[in-house]
Amino acid sequence: MMNNFTSNIHYFRRISQVLAIGLIIIIPFSNLLGIHWVSGTLYSMSFGSLDFSDPSLILQTLVLVKKISLPFFISGIIPLLLAMFLGKVFCSWICPFHLLSEWAYKLIKKIKKISSTANKNPKRNFNLVIFFGLLLFIFLSEVPIFSLVSLPGIISSQVADLVIIRTLGIEIFIIILVLLLEMFSLSRFWCKYACPVGLSLGLTKFKNSLSIVCDSSKCGKCPQRKQNPCKTACSFNLNPKELGIYPVCNNCIECVSVCNENNGALQLTFNLVKKTNIRNKNNNHNKGE
Ligand code: SF4
Ligand code: SF4
């Protein structure tokens, strides 16, 4: 059952991403028709009386205004809890920019005929330094940089503007610029290191969060080991066989899906006991090498 799910993950994820874009388009139309059960953008959205807000915006408000209303604070709790337990699944399953960025990356790889670029997992604290550096910048400059560069927020508000006031703002050029820079640099750097939404969600990871672990004894017997299909599957150029994929990894599970077609060494688990067992097994395996 789980194997079937992971094998078809790419299709499930695409359906979810397309549905999310559909929702972003339907909301302003339904609001125009006087239906307000669901409203808002990916900055902040309401389903009936349930509100969800981007946690990075809540932090930004706290830094800029030094106070925050209780309902606004609570609206950031569900996205944070979701990220704490499931990882950055908002990014891999919902964010419209992620889909555009994945397509742009695929296209440029095809044009340049590149199967995979060199992958060394990034330093763990790199994202932490960027995030708190940006917060310090907001504090000192009083510029709300998080809302200005939140690409999911920009895309959804631009769609709403297009539907309601039939116009697009200058913000659309930020999306185009980031996509072009990603294509030229052959790197999905925005989602890895720059997006305030992804950076804030990545900070919530703890030891029992849903994570990818590699059973290296199984991996060692993989018939495709030299081709590294799992590394090639990762559009962030992470190496899921080694430690250090978090907080960049957004649990898109593309690597696990590819691995399942081979030796099934990559596994997705919440289970701390299982993680520890696999790690111990790997250590013993490495010692025996
Ligand atoms: S990191 Fe930001 S732009 Fe990238 S997928 Fe996540 S929310 Fe979207
Ligand atoms: S390491 Fe795997 S799950 Fe993480 S982003 Fe890369 S392909 Fe997706």
Side-chain angles (χ1 to χ4, degrees), residues 4-287:
N4 271 346
F5 176 70
T6 47
S7 302
N8 293 310
I9 204 73
H10 184 74
Y11 302 104
F12 291 134
R13 209 162 60 77
R14 283 287 179 265
I15 291 169
S16 166
Q17 288 170 314
V18 170
L19 285 178
I21 290 179
L23 183 69
I24 289 167
I25 297 170
I26 286 169
I27 290 175
F29 277 113
S30 61
N31 290 171
L32 273 182
L33 294 171
I35 302 163
H36 293 283
W37 181 79
V38 49
S39 61
T41 63
L42 289 177
Y43 286 119
S44 198
M45 198 171 267
S46 303
F47 294 85
S49 53
L50 207 56
D51 297 334
F52 300 93
S53 296
D54 167 3
S56 72
L57 292 194
I58 294 173
L59 257 176
Q60 175 178 268
T61 309
L62 211 55
V63 169
L64 285 175
V65 192
K66 321 278 183 299
K67 63 178 180 194
I68 202 164
S69 70
L70 189 63
F72 186 37
F73 178 76
I74 292 172
S75 67
I77 301 282
I78 295 179
L80 276 183
L81 285 177
L82 192 73
M84 251 177 102
F85 289 98
L86 299 181
K88 300 192 293 184
V89 288
F90 168 79
C91 296
S92 47
W93 290 72
I94 295 173
C95 177
F97 179 76
H98 194 280
L99 182 61
L100 297 179
S101 173
E102 278 185 290
W103 279 341
Y105 186 69
K106 249 189 196 160
L107 180 71
I108 196 72
K109 270 174 72 178
K110 217 172 236 172
I111 292 170
K112 295 205 164 193
K113 297 192 169 61
I114 295 167
S115 63
S116 175
T117 49
N119 10 25
K120 197 153 183 45
N121 291 336
K123 293 254 183 294
R124 268 165 197 254
N125 292 331
F126 194 54
N127 287 23
L128 208 69
V129 172
I130 296 175
F131 186 69
F132 286 104
L134 287 172
L135 270 183
L136 185 66
F137 174 80
I138 291 170
F139 178 71
L140 297 174
S141 68
E142 301 193 349
V143 174
I145 192 87
F146 284 175
S147 20
L148 294 177
V149 300
S150 164
L151 299 189
I154 290 176
I155 292 176
S156 53
S157 55
Q158 287 298 302
V159 170
D161 283 356
L162 193 61
V163 172
I164 294 169
I165 54 174
R166 308 270 163 90
T167 184
L168 280 175
I170 193 164
E171 297 92 330
I172 208 73
F173 291 107
I174 302 179
I175 311 280
I176 297 169
L177 180 71
V178 174
L179 282 175
L180 287 175
L181 286 175
E182 287 200 333
M183 287 174 88
F184 281 120
S185 64
L186 269 179
S187 148
R188 296 192 55 213
F189 70 89
W190 190 264
C191 297
K192 286 171 86 174
Y193 307 120
C195 172
V197 187
L199 287 173
S200 60
L201 296 179
L203 291 183
T204 60
K205 178 156 177 49
F206 75 121
K207 60 184 179 183
N208 277 9
S209 305
L210 188 67
S211 308
I212 289 163
V213 289
C214 178
D215 184 336
S216 63
S217 56
K218 264 190 179 179
C219 185
K221 294 173 197 143
C222 175
Q224 295 286 321
R225 188 167 167 72
K226 288 208 173 104
Q227 286 80 5
N228 277 317
C230 52
K231 277 165 66 176
T232 309
C234 182
S235 62
F236 283 158
N237 285 327
L238 297 172
N239 181 356
K241 296 195 282 187
E242 286 174 8
L243 294 175
I245 59 173
Y246 296 100
V248 171
C249 170
N250 59 24
N251 284 350
C252 73
I253 339 181
E254 298 283 348
C255 54
V256 180
S257 171
V258 168
C259 181
N260 262 353
E261 288 161 22
N262 296 291
N263 234 22
L266 293 180
Q267 292 169 31
L268 195 65
T269 180
F270 286 110
N271 190 329
L272 183 64
V273 178
K274 193 171 177 183
K275 281 182 197 169
T276 314
N277 284 344
I278 290 179
R279 206 152 288 144
N280 289 342
K281 212 161 120 188
N282 288 346
N283 286 343
N284 293 339
H285 175 78
N286 292 339
K287 274 179 206 159

